[in-house]
Amino acid sequence: MAKLYTRKRGKTWYYSFEAEATAEGKRKRVEKGGFATEKEAMTAGAKMLASYLSGNVAITSEKLPMYEYLASWLDRKRTEVRPSTLDVYKSNVRRIVPIIGSKTVQQLRPKDVDTMMRQLAAKGYSHGTLSVTLNMLKDALSCAVYPDELIQTNPAHYIKVPRNAPRDLVKRTIVREEKLDELLHAFPFGHKFHIPLMVMYHTGMRVSEVFGLAWDAVDLSACVIHVKRQMLYTPSTGHRMTPPKTPSSVRDILIGAELVSLLKRWKSQQAANEIKHGMTYRLVYEDKDGGVWQMHKQSEPPAGAVRRSIVCTQENGKIAGAPAFRHALQLHDVNPHSLRHTHATLCAENGASAKGLAGRLGHKKASITADLYTHETAAMQLKTLEAFENSSKNAVR
């Protein structure tokens, strides 16, 4: 085990310890000075040694390339974040490494990060994507400052996303009556995408919330949907159940008679489908870690797994699947954002308050709802004009 040493140079104290040998057999020495007392040096050295022994990157005399450091940082984050978040981090790293991956952490300067952001913006990445990428890089380099103590300052700290980065690349159109008829013709009752389409249209729920919806969260007597979980999918982990996106996303959504009637009909159809497919019908289970299992009825579920009677399923009981749903909508020039946007806009057009709509959509602030999911339609303009005309007439009188 590495031993910690302290010594005095001039008026300040240093700590040091030997790390593991390199592939060539050379010993790496970790050292840092500038402490006023031996006790301060010993305390800081003990923290760094503990960090090193726990697998964190330690200061070495060798320069550490960014691609190596980011790989180490991802390994560290593996146990700290959700699998879906880790996949986002990996995507960000894949964008970063081709541009600054060969530079060492110690060489990286603010101008390098700024140049990288400008290059990514020139490639057409959206403002939102670049913001996520930059924030992740700032977090990683903050760890390089502390606890890794590879550098003294974060070169990404003051960098901003270029103003010319395109915004709103995700097309949010309003699904009017003609487009809805087109979608219903493509996905009629019984089709695996009919129910998710109609639930999104009638509630404005997020696509992950819709596909994570189970019958225990649907009260057809009280006409309410309790949003309390979502289902996410990543190629590395498959389907997983997690809590909703934010605390404000946990909410109750009142639903109308049309959707209640449709859900009752679909629940009966699911029961008929289960009888039809017999022992080959798929049941869905959630294990203690949120993993989703789709198993034939005769199969033994994992120990401790809980059955989830998922609302949005295929005829044989399998999960309908959000990725396939997105692709199917794209063939009709629509996406799940369009359905959520449509619901919010129709509510706003018909007098829903911003605060009430924010609660329905699961937003913490009403301003978020107004900025993202409602825009000025002809109906809104007409109502605004009518309001002004009425007030003007009263003023003249």
Side-chain angles (χ1 to χ4, degrees):
M1 180 175 176
K3 185 175 180 180
L4 181 65
Y5 298 91
T6 59
R7 62 173 174 167
K8 192 174 184 180
R9 284 184 184 173
K11 296 182 179 181
T12 59
W13 285 85
Y14 286 70
Y15 71 76
S16 65
F17 61 86
E18 286 189 342
E20 294 180 0
T22 64
E24 295 77 21
K26 297 176 62 176
R27 303 293 295 185
K28 293 181 179 179
R29 192 164 189 82
V30 179
E31 186 176 57
K32 184 174 175 63
F35 299 98
T37 65
E38 182 179 16
K39 183 179 180 180
E40 290 180 4
M42 180 65 73
T43 300
K47 289 182 179 180
M48 177 52 69
L49 179 57
S51 179
Y52 169 74
L53 293 175
S54 66
N56 290 343
V57 180
I59 302 174
T60 70
S61 58
E62 296 181 4
K63 302 298 184 182
L64 186 65
M66 279 294 295
Y67 72 87
E68 286 188 13
Y69 178 73
L70 290 173
S72 172
W73 182 81
L74 284 175
D75 284 339
R76 192 184 315 181
K77 287 292 182 180
R78 194 176 302 277
T79 59
E80 299 177 6
V81 299
R82 295 177 178 177
S84 57
T85 302
L86 188 65
D87 276 1
V88 173
Y89 286 169
K90 289 178 180 178
S91 297
N92 293 335
V93 169
R94 285 194 291 269
R95 282 189 282 271
I96 292 170
V97 166
I99 303 176
I100 61 173
S102 61
K103 288 185 175 292
T104 67
V105 179
Q106 295 86 349
Q107 288 175 329
L108 195 66
R109 296 292 180 267
K111 67 177 181 179
D112 299 320
V113 180
D114 183 65
T115 299
M116 179 196 74
M117 295 304 296
R118 294 181 184 279
Q119 289 182 19
L120 291 175
K123 289 182 179 181
Y125 287 107
S126 72
H127 191 280
T129 297
L130 293 183
S131 180
V132 171
T133 301
L134 180 59
N135 287 336
M136 189 219 72
L137 182 60
K138 288 179 179 180
D139 187 17
L141 291 173
S142 290
C143 290
V145 176
Y146 184 84
D148 297 337
E149 297 186 340
L150 288 165
I151 50 179
Q152 292 185 337
T153 59
N154 187 335
H157 182 72
Y158 292 106
I159 304 303
K160 297 181 180 180
V161 176
R163 290 185 177 182
N164 65 333
R167 295 176 182 266
D168 299 328
L169 291 184
V170 176
K171 187 179 180 181
R172 293 187 178 97
T173 57
I174 297 179
V175 180
R176 295 298 186 186
E177 189 173 343
E178 291 181 2
K179 176 59 72 172
L180 182 60
D181 288 342
E182 177 187 326
L183 293 173
L184 290 175
H185 179 76
F187 314 129
F189 181 82
H191 191 284
K192 62 182 178 180
F193 295 142
H194 182 81
I195 295 300
L197 169 69
M198 296 307 289
V199 172
M200 287 200 71
Y201 182 80
H202 282 272
T203 67
M205 290 169 62
R206 298 180 178 92
V207 66
S208 58
E209 296 168 345
V210 171
F211 281 89
L213 184 63
W215 286 112
D216 65 353
V218 181
D219 189 334
L220 295 175
S221 298
C223 302
V224 63
I225 289 176
H226 307 287
V227 181
K228 54 185 180 181
R229 66 176 70 92
Q230 63 177 349
M231 185 185 295
L232 301 176
Y233 175 84
T234 63
S236 60
T237 62
H239 292 98
R240 298 188 69 82
M241 288 289 193
T242 72
K245 186 177 180 180
T246 62
S248 59
S249 297
V250 179
R251 63 199 188 278
D252 292 344
I253 300 177
L254 294 177
I255 56 177
E258 183 179 349
L259 183 58
V260 168
S261 176
L262 175 62
L263 289 175
K264 286 181 178 178
R265 182 185 174 196
W266 174 240
K267 193 173 186 180
S268 297
Q269 183 62 52
Q270 275 187 326
N273 291 340
E274 184 172 350
I275 294 173
K276 174 183 176 181
H277 287 271
M279 298 306 289
T280 64
Y281 191 79
R282 300 294 185 91
L283 302 182
V284 179
Y285 295 89
E286 178 187 354
D287 64 28
K288 59 184 178 61
D289 298 317
V292 174
W293 300 72
Q294 303 182 69
M295 312 181 71
H296 291 125
K297 292 182 71 172
Q298 71 268 25
S299 301
E300 187 70 22
V306 178
R307 183 181 173 184
R308 298 297 183 197
S309 297
I310 298 298
V311 174
C312 299
T313 60
Q314 303 180 43
E315 183 183 303
N316 63 355
K318 289 184 66 175
I319 296 168
F325 181 59
R326 289 190 182 94
H327 178 70
L329 290 179
Q330 286 174 0
L331 298 179
H332 296 270
D333 197 29
V334 178
N335 57 53
H337 292 283
S338 301
L339 296 168
R340 185 165 161 83
H341 182 61
T342 297
H343 182 80
T345 302
L346 291 176
C347 288
E349 282 184 349
N350 288 279
S353 69
K355 185 175 181 180
L357 189 51
R360 189 171 178 83
L361 295 177
H363 287 155
K364 185 177 181 179
K365 297 180 179 179
S367 58
I368 298 175
T369 310
D371 290 342
L372 290 179
Y373 295 111
T374 61
H375 65 248
E376 197 173 36
T377 64
M380 289 180 185
Q381 289 189 30
L382 181 59
K383 285 189 176 182
T384 302
L385 176 61
E386 290 174 350
F388 172 77
E389 291 293 330
N390 290 334
S391 63
S392 178
K393 290 176 182 177
N394 292 333
V396 171
R397 290 175 185 172

